[in-house]
């Protein structure tokens, strides 16, 4: 859901005899999950910082959705490819540091990538990106783009300006015999298309699995943050959930259906993962959640549910990054 500028130079095509670096072939995009007999698992999140990969954090103010299995078995939390997260509503954001890491390590983190050393910032409400364009030789470039949501809930990136070596990109690309469509050689597997000077992106496909589906209704830059609001593409509004501890400030809740964690399967899920220190958002790492489980403790409920209290991922032996230590965080 977060690639934004990954489209800007995801590959350069050959044009008029000019060869440019192109990324390696990608595996075909996975087909939507077949109809599953498994009951979707209801999910709610509140005040959670999701550490989806090292240096990449999604700040989830709130989220309501469903885990839909890609098979006839239950979703496997340890395997993001086993399910789809269907979002009914969500308010999420990402800071510029996370976006920059996403671009450098994932979008362009391969040999022969057309861009490197990418830096991003908010330039008066437009997204500015600077870095190095590899065209046989390394050429400094910069671009600015405005962001908006399309009527069908995708992300629109309107390229207002592009420059390389201080020369407007239009002139330089003309010299190379390239057009914008060549610079952004888009692959259907990424859910991206070019419409004149607009790049339209189907969000949710560049981060590590699981795939997230929802309708983007609003996107904007707010200071150092990229904020996005999602709704359900089908127009369905899921009812509010009632977790075991409704007074918890920061939590992730799984309700109904079956779900698997490691070697354990919970039938008729009623599991609330609760931040053991509610003074700041719940720093939760899906790839490393077992560390947090081991360091925490659980309480059964009268209705056979489970409340699991967990410390932040940075408090269980993981070196905190500058990004994940909020300014003014209370000392422990």
């Amino acid at each position: 859901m977060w690639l934004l500028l990954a489209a800007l130079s995801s590959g350069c095509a050959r044009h008029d005899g000019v060869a440019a670096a192109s990324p390696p072939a990608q595996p075909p995009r996975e087909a939507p999950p077949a109809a599953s007999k498994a009951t979707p698992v209801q999910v709610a999140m509140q005040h959670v910082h999701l550490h989806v990969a090292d240096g990449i954090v999604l700040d989830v103010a709130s989220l309501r959705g469903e885990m839909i299995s890609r098979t006839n078995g239950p979703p496997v939390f340890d395997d993001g490819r086993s399910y789809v997260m269907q979002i009914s509503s969500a308010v999420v954001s990402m800071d510029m540091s996370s976006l920059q890491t996403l671009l450098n390590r994932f979008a362009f983190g391969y040999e022969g990538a057309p861009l490197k050393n990418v830096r991003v910032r908010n330039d008066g409400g437009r997204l500015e990106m600077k870095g190095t364009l590899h065209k046989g030789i390394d050429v400094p470039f910069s671009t600015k783009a405005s962001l908006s949501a399309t009527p069908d809930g995708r992300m629109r990136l309107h390229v207002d300006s592009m420059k390389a070596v201080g020369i407007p990109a239009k002139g330089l690309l003309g010299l190379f015999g390239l057009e914008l469509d060549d610079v952004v050689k888009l692959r259907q597997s990424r859910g991206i298309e070019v419409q004149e000077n607009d790049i339209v992106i189907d969000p949710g496909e560049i981060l590590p699995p699981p795939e997230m589906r929802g309708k983007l209704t609003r996107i904007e830059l707010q200071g150092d943050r990229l904020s996005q609001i999602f709704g359900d593409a089908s127009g369905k509004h899921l009812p509010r959930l009632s977790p075991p501890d409704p007074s918890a400030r920061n939590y992730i809740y799984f309700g109904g259906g079956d779900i698997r964690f490691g070697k354990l399967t919970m039938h008729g899920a009623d599991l609330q993962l609760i931040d053991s220190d509610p003074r700041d958002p719940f720093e939760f790492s899906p790839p490393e959640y077992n560390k947090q489980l081991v360091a925490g403790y659980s309480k059964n409920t009268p209705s056979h549910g489970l409340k699991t209290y967990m410390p932040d991922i940075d408090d269980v032996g993981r070196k905190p990054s500058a990004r994940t230590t909020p300014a003014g965080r209370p000392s422990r």
Side-chain angles (χ1 to χ4, degrees):
M1 52 178 68
W2 300 93
L3 63 96
L4 283 183
L5 286 177
L8 275 177
S9 291
S10 59
C12 296
R14 182 185 61 82
H15 186 88
D16 290 343
V18 179
S22 61
Q26 298 291 318
R29 181 178 176 181
E30 292 184 14
S36 172
K37 296 179 182 179
T39 301
V41 177
Q42 304 301 308
V43 179
M45 299 185 192
Q46 182 172 291
H47 301 140
V48 178
H49 288 178
L50 281 177
H51 294 244
V52 296
D54 188 24
I56 301 178
V57 183
L58 304 184
D59 295 351
V60 182
S62 62
L63 182 146
R64 179 69 173 88
E66 296 178 315
M67 296 173 70
I68 301 175
S69 177
R70 288 184 178 271
T71 71
N72 287 333
V76 180
F77 188 77
D78 305 68
D79 181 7
R81 294 178 176 83
S82 71
Y83 65 93
V84 170
M85 179 66 75
Q86 180 68 52
I87 297 174
S88 175
S89 62
V91 179
V92 298
S93 65
M94 173 184 286
D95 68 10
M96 294 294 103
S97 175
S98 289
L99 177 58
Q100 190 164 291
T101 300
L102 173 64
L103 294 174
N104 285 300
R105 290 189 51 212
F106 289 84
F108 309 120
Y110 57 87
E111 185 177 356
L115 294 186
K116 61 182 180 180
N117 303 324
V118 177
R119 304 178 304 281
V120 294
R121 74 180 186 95
N122 180 355
D123 179 36
R126 294 190 300 173
L127 194 60
E128 179 183 73
M129 182 170 71
K130 294 183 177 181
T132 303
L133 172 65
H134 184 71
K135 292 282 301 168
I137 60 172
D138 288 344
V139 179
F141 80 95
S142 66
T143 185
K144 296 180 181 180
S146 54
L147 306 172
S148 64
T150 65
D152 62 357
R154 293 182 294 168
M155 187 184 308
R156 185 182 302 279
L157 182 68
H158 180 71
V159 179
D160 299 314
S161 66
M162 183 181 285
K163 295 182 179 180
V165 202
I167 304 172
K170 181 178 180 181
L172 185 59
L173 295 180
L175 178 64
F176 287 166
L178 299 175
E179 302 293 338
L180 180 62
D181 286 0
D182 298 315
V183 178
V184 285
K185 180 64 176 177
L186 306 176
R187 300 182 295 276
Q188 289 184 347
S189 61
R190 290 262 177 127
I192 308 168
E193 63 178 291
V194 175
Q195 301 173 354
E196 297 182 351
N197 283 343
D198 291 345
I199 299 169
V200 180
I201 303 166
D202 188 359
E205 296 182 8
I206 193 172
L207 286 173
E211 178 185 348
M212 296 186 182
R213 297 176 183 170
K215 182 177 181 180
L216 181 67
T217 59
R218 184 176 178 182
I219 180 170
E220 62 181 341
L221 289 169
Q222 298 177 332
D224 189 46
R225 311 201 67 78
L226 173 68
S227 300
Q228 300 182 73
I229 297 177
F230 287 87
D232 195 303
S234 67
K236 179 175 66 174
H237 296 284
L238 298 177
R240 185 179 179 86
L241 298 176
S242 299
D245 184 355
S247 66
R249 173 176 170 79
N250 317 324
Y251 65 85
I252 302 173
Y253 176 65
F254 305 94
D258 298 343
I259 185 171
R260 226 173 78 195
F261 292 87
K263 298 179 180 179
L264 303 177
T265 299
M266 190 174 196
H267 301 288
D270 186 19
L271 170 64
Q272 187 177 14
L273 307 180
I274 303 171
D275 186 2
S276 59
D277 182 355
R279 294 176 296 174
D280 51 20
F282 186 15
E283 305 284 347
F284 181 77
S285 171
E288 300 179 275
Y289 80 93
N290 195 56
K291 291 182 181 179
Q292 295 176 264
L293 279 177
V294 171
Y297 63 95
S298 298
K299 289 185 176 182
N300 289 79
T301 70
S303 59
H304 305 284
L306 199 62
K307 295 185 293 184
T308 299
Y309 295 84
M310 307 170 71
D312 291 341
I313 185 61
D314 293 336
D315 295 333
V316 290
R318 176 180 179 179
K319 182 180 179 181
S321 65
R323 158 62 190 85
T324 58
T325 305
R329 178 173 177 170
S331 58
R332 302 295 171 90

